[in-house]
Amino acid sequence: MKLVYWMYAGPAHIGTLRVASSFKNVHAIMHAPLGDDYFNVMRSMLERERDFTPVTASIVDRHVLTRGSQDKVVDNITRKDKEERPNLIILTPTCTSSILQEDLQNFVDRASIISDSDVILADVNHYRVNELQAADKTLEQVVRYYLGKARRRRTLDQSITDVPSANIIGISTLGFHNQHDFRELKRLLQNLGIKINQVIPEGSFVEDLENLPKAWFNFVPYREIGLMTAVYLEKEFGIPYVSVTPMGVVDTAKCIRQIQKHINNLAVVALEETVDYEPYVYQQTQFVSQAIWFSKSIDCQNLKKKKAVIFGDATHAASMTKILNREMGIRVSCAGTYCKHDKEWFNEQVHNFCDEVLITDDHAEVANKVARIEPSAIFGTQMERHIGKRLNIPCGVVSAPVHIQNFPLGYRPFSGYEGTNQIADSVYNSFIPGMEDHFIDLFGGHDTKEVIMKSLCTEKGVIWDPESQLELSKIPSFMRSKIKRKIDKFAVHNGFTKINIKIMYAALICL
Amino acid sequence: MAVEISETLTFECETGNYHTFCPISCVAWLYQKIEDSFFLVVGTKTCGYFSQNSLGVMIFAEPRYAMAELEEGDIPAQLNDYGESKRLCIQIIKNRNPSVIIWIGTCTTEIIKMDLEGIAPKLEAEIGVPIVVARANGLDYAFTQGEDTVLAAVTHRCPERKSSVGGQDQLVQDEESQEFFSFLPPNDENVKKTVVGSQKNPPLVLFGSLPSAVAHQLSSELKRQSIQISGWIPTERYNNLPSLGDEVYVCGVNPFLSRTATSLMRRRKCQLIGAPFPIGPDGTRAWIEKICSVFGIEAQGLEKREKKVWDSLENYLDQVRGKSVFFMGDNPLEISLARFLIRCGTTVYEIGIPYMDKRYQAAELYFLQNTCRDMRIPMPRIVEKPDNYNQLQRMYELQPDLVFTGMAHANPLQARGINTRWSIEFTFAQIHGFTNAKEILKLIIRPLKDNNDFKNFDWTNLVRKDNNSLN
């Protein structure tokens, strides 16, 4: 047993459901007790989904506990098959079904004979994997299933497309800024003259999965979801993949160069020419992305050598660490991730870019680390935001888990060249309030606690005579309005409507 | 699917494929109510994920609740349950020093048959802090029933009332009552005097967790009828639980407390007052009247008081009259809310409800039936263990003006031009007593009004045609 107040990654079935409901016309049936369909609430609320989340539960209740599910699961599958005619139904085990040890595969086998939909059992173990690993695994399982099916049917067409093309793998529902990243990545590939073959799982149909092998290469923007699929496709079909996350100018360039390498391997034969993306990288870095210019500007010089702590999933924490350190000159005192299963990769990525590495899924440990380091800003998840609030340190949210405010309606990619701009803004805005706060403290705090008049404009209430106005103008400009306000307040408080030099000094003494 | 509107109260039972919250969510409001408690949910990551997401920001305020997360080793009992729970409880006592630790058993502890009830007394004796066990799991219960299981477990911890005659016992009662009112400002002499004043009625204990302000409002309503309350379950402090015995009368304030009621009657030999619930001015009046009648007191001035409340609601009533309502059902408050809304002049097509205890809710059901007759409105169908999919089909056909639903369905329904009100809000909003009737209506009117505001836009349906097979 473990005493837990908060966790970063959800249980395994959440990962499976994220993948299932990202596809179109795929329905997930959870083998779970009443109340475990909380995923539907999250998707409906956080993503503000207009459509019903295609997830239902085959309820495990007392009867199931004593007699087993018997026909219940099969009935629920066939019923859903008739009601919604999905292409695929994924039976999703939960922690409860893990211990019940019912033969879910048997239910799936029975149901797939009766129903028109394909039926599979998500191969995830609640006690072994978390949300992210399960999502990765489920996506691979679905892809493997449909490619296997196509191969058996002999409909699998392995010839690659005429023009360079790519699959984007790993965009999913409830992913951190996934929708925006997706748009940005699509644009990036289009700019490079690369056709998008498929994007999975978000918005795609399972029957199109057999077209995956037509792509020249696979593109996996996030480490957490999609890598297994890419590895499988490489092994099975020899499709190379790019898994450099295009976050920050340096890594975006690195990513594009890798893409170029893969394309040229085939282009020499297929197109009898090669591509050169260097001018594109150069042009984008210099003029489309503002990030490099920004880090040269005097604003950013103020940030140099400030301390920051970074925490999040492996992809975002590693990328942010590199961006802050390499592209903005900020000192990353500590970089950490809760993706314990990927710690070797993380260590290798952030090594050289931070003072220390923290691998943990205990938020208290992160909080203690932040408290000890006292950084000028934190970049983390929703939890770090709250840690920051308690310690009075500004925080930029850069990774899941997040709240509804991190599912913005406006365009906020983290990837690609527009992503570099968004990140620069986010970083800058996180540090600046910290500076402001510091200055405000230096000059005695905001005087907003006590409202003296209904409107912010005080001119109406109190008149300054010329002599006092002159005196006021002698006060250094950065403090002037603050002191004027205090004197106004003093006058109003004591019933003076006109301020002369005497009242002014009386007020200054009271300040 | 043809939908009939019945002339009598009909009960149906569907498949139970509906969305609701897991009963462990009761921790969210109970830990705030019982101020010196600590809730330990013994379960898995699934339970933890649910509570951290459903509790939203509360989680960051160092709540007095945590998960005892079962790991793979705990499942085949490789690890020793007793030793493990002791280790965690000692950790909790060291950090938080609670007066009581409440263990919430979950689906997993049920399935692996972890003997929480057996471990608790032994551990309690060893560590010296009471441990109350409540099995609030999704195998057996829905949403607010979680509170029911906790309160039922708490009733066993109430002290035994000494059935002696004379001053001493009375004194004990007075002290308890005073402590019960400890949330009031100390200079509120008025209340204290009346409380200390001699008690005419037999001891009355109310059960159900309400915000302190609401609990106070209800008890002062009873005080107007010169009825003294000798305690509540739960209390702000665990050590102030009221004493129980065979001369104690008990009355529930919420419709989902049937196990607590049963436990009070059977185990503690209390006498249950079966009344409609004090939700809406009609319900509040009926509730008070029923308590008065049991004590042989003639209720004073209630009719006038009820009328005054209705009069004050006139503006709101104008906006709900003639509207139609559909309850999908997820927190057994539905019957009482529907009854109040029918009195307000709405038509209720369907009352979905997770489960229906016809005995505990008898007075409320009877009241609902009479209300329908009075208002000349067809009786709603009551659907126990509803099937959300079927409900959606019925809803598309009926096109109700307002649907009470959980958050899983609210946005999709809105997108299809059907107004919704999240049912969860009614478990957190103050809805009991005369004064809070306005709150209920305010919550209901908001979506109706929003719709009026957007009337000029032809954007009621915001779903792509090819997108969803449900429509």
Side-chain angles (χ1 to χ4, degrees):
Chain A
M1 271 187 224
K2 205 164 74 175
L3 198 61
V4 179
Y5 291 89
W6 163 268
M7 44 192 196
Y8 285 99
H13 69 266
I14 298 287
T16 298
L17 297 181
R18 276 178 57 186
V19 167
S21 57
S22 295
F23 279 112
K24 273 189 187 278
N25 214 24
V26 170
H27 198 99
I29 294 184
M30 302 166 69
H31 187 242
L34 194 65
D36 272 5
D37 57 353
Y38 189 73
F39 175 78
N40 297 31
V41 174
M42 291 184 60
R43 187 155 180 274
S44 176
M45 297 306 289
L46 297 179
E47 293 264 33
R48 299 182 185 87
E49 258 298 329
R50 303 176 193 209
D51 285 312
F52 292 95
T53 300
V55 173
T56 44
S58 175
I59 306 279
V60 176
D61 57 13
R62 273 288 151 194
H63 297 296
V64 172
L65 214 55
T66 48
R67 302 175 310 157
S69 290
Q70 298 188 339
D71 292 331
K72 197 172 186 179
V73 176
V74 177
D75 288 348
N76 278 320
I77 294 174
T78 48
R79 180 185 160 185
K80 211 30 85 182
D81 171 53
K82 289 201 184 69
E83 283 169 356
E84 312 215 8
R85 309 234 139 257
N87 299 115
L88 169 68
I89 294 175
I90 302 180
L91 182 60
T92 310
T94 58
C95 61
T96 310
S97 54
S98 286
I99 10 176
L100 279 178
Q101 296 190 326
E102 281 195 274
D103 190 358
L104 296 181
Q105 188 57 53
N106 173 38
F107 296 150
V108 163
D109 294 342
R110 274 166 58 200
S112 50
I113 296 169
I114 317 166
S115 61
D116 294 334
S117 323
D118 296 316
V119 189
I120 62 172
L121 171 67
D123 179 21
V124 291
N125 180 331
H126 174 90
Y127 294 94
R128 303 273 166 86
V129 295
N130 68 18
E131 169 188 350
L132 300 168
Q133 294 162 291
D136 201 16
K137 172 79 191 142
T138 304
L139 184 59
E140 189 241 20
Q141 197 190 346
V142 173
V143 167
R144 190 188 282 265
Y145 177 86
Y146 278 97
L147 288 176
K149 195 175 163 186
R151 189 173 265 167
R152 279 195 305 277
R153 273 201 206 147
R154 301 179 185 284
T155 52
L156 196 63
D157 178 7
Q158 287 201 48
S159 59
I160 56 165
T161 52
D162 298 341
V163 290
S165 66
N167 299 317
I168 302 179
I169 301 177
I171 307 285
S172 72
T173 189
L174 291 172
F176 182 75
H177 292 236
N178 269 206
Q179 302 294 343
H180 311 290
D181 280 351
F182 168 39
R183 253 171 82 185
E184 186 61 25
L185 295 176
K186 215 158 75 175
R187 199 169 70 177
L188 177 72
L189 292 180
Q190 273 162 0
N191 285 349
L192 299 176
I194 297 167
K195 209 183 100 193
I196 310 274
N197 185 50
Q198 295 227 298
V199 178
I200 59 167
E202 185 63 44
S204 66
F205 287 95
V206 280
E207 59 279 21
D208 296 338
L209 290 176
E210 63 180 60
N211 294 325
L212 283 175
K214 290 191 167 150
W216 288 32
F217 71 101
N218 288 319
F219 184 19
V220 184
Y222 313 112
R223 271 197 80 69
E224 286 74 19
I225 303 176
L227 214 47
M228 270 182 92
T229 310
V231 170
Y232 160 76
L233 289 170
E234 185 181 46
K235 232 168 96 187
E236 204 74 3
F237 301 94
I239 311 170
Y241 67 88
V242 175
S243 68
V244 177
T245 303
M247 243 177 251
V249 276
V250 179
D251 275 357
T252 303
K254 189 173 163 196
C255 172
I256 293 173
R257 285 180 188 128
Q258 274 205 16
I259 291 173
Q260 176 180 315
K261 199 185 89 200
H262 290 312
I263 290 201
N264 282 342
N265 281 346
L266 289 170
V268 185
V269 190
L271 308 174
E272 292 174 349
E273 59 177 14
T274 55
V275 292
D276 180 14
Y277 295 143
E278 282 310 322
Y280 177 76
V281 170
Y282 179 79
Q283 197 257 351
Q284 293 282 316
T285 308
Q286 237 189 346
F287 302 112
V288 175
S289 166
Q290 305 287 327
I292 290 295
W293 155 238
F294 167 75
S295 67
K296 288 230 186 259
S297 71
I298 49 168
D299 260 350
C300 203
Q301 285 172 11
N302 281 337
L303 302 183
K304 299 256 161 21
K305 303 301 167 213
K306 283 202 169 301
K307 282 195 291 184
V309 169
I310 295 169
F311 195 82
D313 64 21
T315 300
H316 290 87
S319 294
M320 286 305 291
T321 304
K322 286 184 273 180
I323 293 168
L324 257 63
N325 184 272
R326 176 163 69 184
E327 299 176 16
M328 293 179 175
I330 292 161
R331 177 167 176 187
V332 179
S333 303
C334 177
T337 181
Y338 55 85
C339 295
K340 285 158 108 174
H341 60 277
D342 210 10
K343 68 171 179 222
E344 283 82 18
W345 179 84
F346 187 78
N347 268 315
E348 179 211 317
Q349 288 294 305
V350 299
H351 172 76
N352 288 337
F353 298 109
C354 62
D355 298 345
E356 56 178 319
V357 177
L358 177 66
I359 311 279
T360 181
D361 53 7
D362 178 1
H363 75 275
E365 215 176 305
V366 181
N368 292 340
K369 186 69 83 183
V370 172
R372 195 178 53 70
I373 292 173
E374 286 188 79
S376 309
I378 317 168
F379 297 91
T381 72
Q382 200 55 233
M383 182 39 100
E384 281 67 48
R385 200 170 72 88
H386 285 267
I387 292 170
K389 259 188 192 165
R390 289 173 63 180
L391 297 170
N392 236 335
I393 299 169
C395 177
V397 176
V398 296
S399 161
V402 289
H403 281 174
I404 192 156
Q405 64 265 41
N406 296 105
F407 287 90
L409 302 174
Y411 188 48
R412 301 254 193 291
F414 268 64
S415 301
Y417 286 109
E418 177 54 27
T420 60
N421 293 336
Q422 296 289 339
I423 291 171
D425 275 346
S426 158
V427 170
Y428 185 68
N429 291 337
S430 303
F431 277 108
I432 286 301
M435 289 291 286
E436 249 173 35
D437 249 13
H438 183 65
F439 278 125
I440 288 163
D441 268 356
L442 212 62
F443 298 121
H446 268 302
D447 55 353
T448 44
K449 275 175 198 135
E450 204 183 323
V451 180
I452 52 163
M453 277 162 213
K454 284 262 178 333
S455 74
L456 272 176
C457 170
T458 56
E459 262 72 29
K460 259 187 208 159
V462 197
I463 301 157
W464 290 64
D465 72 3
E467 204 185 350
S468 61
Q469 260 176 20
L470 190 74
E471 199 61 26
L472 183 70
S473 66
K474 288 179 192 161
I475 294 169
S477 62
F478 66 93
M479 291 171 72
R480 198 180 301 143
S481 66
K482 191 174 178 59
I483 286 176
K484 179 175 180 296
R485 227 176 124 66
K486 290 207 164 180
I487 296 170
D488 281 342
K489 202 165 96 183
F490 174 85
V492 171
H493 210 76
N494 292 290
F496 302 117
T497 50
K498 222 172 174 179
I499 291 173
N500 54 33
I501 202 91
K502 245 167 95 183
I503 293 171
M504 190 174 167
Y505 283 127
L508 283 174
I509 290 162
C510 295
L511 274 180
Chain B
M1 197 184 307
V3 180
E4 285 172 36
I5 304 285
S6 167
E7 292 300 312
T8 52
L9 224 46
T10 56
F11 294 92
E12 282 167 53
C13 190
E14 281 190 313
T15 60
N17 277 321
Y18 64 102
H19 163 78
T20 186
F21 273 17
C22 172
I24 61 170
S25 53
C26 68
V27 167
W29 62 90
L30 286 176
Y31 91 79
Q32 293 183 63
K33 177 72 191 176
I34 312 171
E35 288 161 4
D36 52 354
S37 62
F38 191 98
F39 284 79
L40 185 66
V41 181
V42 188
T44 59
K45 262 193 189 338
T46 308
C47 314
Y49 196 64
F50 164 71
S51 36
Q52 89 178 27
N53 283 299
S54 59
L55 297 188
V57 285
M58 270 190 251
I59 210 93
F60 301 104
E62 282 207 34
R64 280 171 287 101
Y65 110 83
M67 290 287 308
E69 190 185 309
L70 298 167
E71 291 166 295
E72 201 166 10
D74 294 305
I75 302 305
Q78 283 167 351
L79 300 170
N80 170 350
D81 292 342
Y82 183 81
E84 287 293 295
S85 30
K86 182 178 164 187
R87 189 170 57 81
L88 298 197
C89 285
I90 287 173
Q91 213 175 319
I92 291 164
I93 294 166
K94 210 177 94 195
N95 295 338
R96 305 291 171 92
N97 193 29
S99 308
V100 58
I101 297 175
I102 296 171
W103 284 357
I104 303 288
T106 60
C107 305
T108 310
T109 59
E110 287 298 308
I111 297 169
I112 64 172
K113 301 198 166 35
M114 190 186 269
D115 185 18
L116 296 176
E117 275 97 343
I119 299 172
K122 281 185 225 153
L123 190 56
E124 179 173 325
E126 201 174 331
I127 60 178
V129 173
I131 296 172
V132 174
V133 180
R135 301 176 173 200
N137 61 66
L139 293 168
D140 301 306
Y141 307 111
F143 198 13
T144 49
Q145 282 180 287
E147 174 180 326
D148 194 20
T149 61
V150 172
L151 296 192
V154 164
T155 58
H156 299 293
R157 301 307 183 107
C158 294
E160 188 64 36
R161 188 183 158 86
K162 290 174 216 89
S163 53
S164 62
V165 216
Q168 209 174 1
D169 184 45
Q170 192 61 50
L171 209 69
V172 175
Q173 278 296 311
D174 287 347
E175 256 169 45
E176 274 174 9
S177 318
Q178 270 193 42
E179 270 189 77
F180 164 66
F181 284 106
S182 59
F183 57 83
L184 294 175
N187 55 356
D188 202 344
E189 285 301 324
N190 240 350
V191 177
K192 280 195 180 160
K193 252 181 223 156
T194 40
V195 170
V196 178
S198 69
Q199 208 161 348
K200 284 178 206 145
N201 55 287
L204 171 65
V205 170
L206 301 180
F207 57 94
S209 164
L210 293 180
S212 301
V214 181
H216 176 55
Q217 282 163 12
L218 283 184
S219 48
S220 59
E221 285 301 340
L222 289 175
K223 203 156 4 94
R224 280 164 180 261
Q225 308 298 335
S226 60
I227 292 172
Q228 306 287 335
I229 300 171
S230 41
W232 281 76
I233 299 171
T235 36
E236 266 83 9
R237 306 205 70 79
Y238 175 75
N239 292 327
N240 294 348
L241 285 172
S243 52
L244 298 173
D246 54 8
E247 74 231 57
V248 176
Y249 283 80
V250 291
C251 188
V253 297
N254 266 324
F256 45 77
L257 299 170
S258 58
R259 277 175 66 90
T260 311
T262 311
S263 163
L264 284 166
M265 284 192 299
R266 299 217 180 125
R267 305 290 298 270
R268 306 308 306 265
K269 307 290 175 224
C270 301
Q271 305 179 50
L272 179 72
I273 302 176
F277 300 98
I279 292 168
D282 49 341
T284 309
R285 178 182 167 191
W287 182 73
I288 299 171
E289 275 176 347
K290 183 64 199 274
I291 295 172
C292 287
S293 78
V294 169
F295 292 153
I297 296 168
E298 200 174 322
Q300 303 289 325
L302 277 183
E303 198 182 335
K304 232 166 133 188
R305 196 157 160 68
E306 191 195 346
K307 189 176 177 299
K308 225 172 117 187
V309 176
W310 284 115
D311 289 346
S312 73
L313 297 176
E314 203 41 55
N315 277 342
Y316 298 98
L317 293 175
D318 282 344
Q319 298 178 63
V320 299
R321 244 177 235 128
K323 296 276 194 285
S324 54
V325 177
F326 192 109
F327 285 88
M328 283 189 88
D330 76 347
N331 54 354
L333 292 169
E334 288 89 2
I335 300 282
S336 312
L337 285 171
R339 179 258 304 150
F340 167 60
L341 289 183
I342 290 172
R343 177 63 71 185
C344 292
T346 64
T347 306
V348 176
Y349 290 138
E350 173 165 332
I351 307 175
I353 188 164
Y355 84 111
M356 181 73 241
D357 185 334
K358 285 185 194 161
R359 279 200 302 178
Y360 177 63
Q361 294 230 42
E364 183 65 81
L365 284 169
Y366 184 67
F367 196 30
L368 168 68
Q369 205 159 338
N370 285 343
T371 305
C372 289
R373 291 217 176 98
D374 287 354
M375 301 301 290
R376 294 168 199 282
I377 270 170
M379 307 276 172
R381 53 196 267 166
I382 296 173
V383 181
E384 219 182 324
K385 285 168 155 275
D387 185 296
N388 281 166
Y389 182 86
N390 294 344
Q391 284 185 315
L392 290 177
Q393 311 309 315
R394 292 198 285 272
M395 226 179 278
Y396 293 146
E397 194 163 325
L398 292 163
Q399 290 290 325
D401 292 314
L402 187 67
V403 174
F404 285 77
T405 179
M407 288 190 280
H409 294 112
N411 269 338
L413 284 172
Q414 289 286 141
R416 284 160 183 75
I418 295 178
N419 285 317
T420 58
R421 179 83 262 167
W422 313 341
S423 45
I424 288 99
E425 277 191 284
F426 293 90
T427 45
F428 295 109
Q430 308 196 342
I431 59 171
H432 292 76
F434 282 123
T435 38
N436 291 317
K438 197 174 275 179
E439 292 305 312
I440 307 177
L441 287 178
K442 267 189 197 159
L443 285 174
I444 292 167
I445 280 161
R446 216 180 301 151
L448 292 173
K449 209 166 158 284
D450 283 356
N451 194 42
N452 278 343
D453 294 346
F454 293 136
K455 223 185 213 162
N456 296 332
F457 302 130
D458 187 24
W459 289 335
T460 41
N461 193 323
L462 293 163
V463 187
R464 266 192 213 158
K465 273 280 173 291
D466 60 343
N467 236 8
N468 199 269
S469 44
L470 265 179
N471 207 344

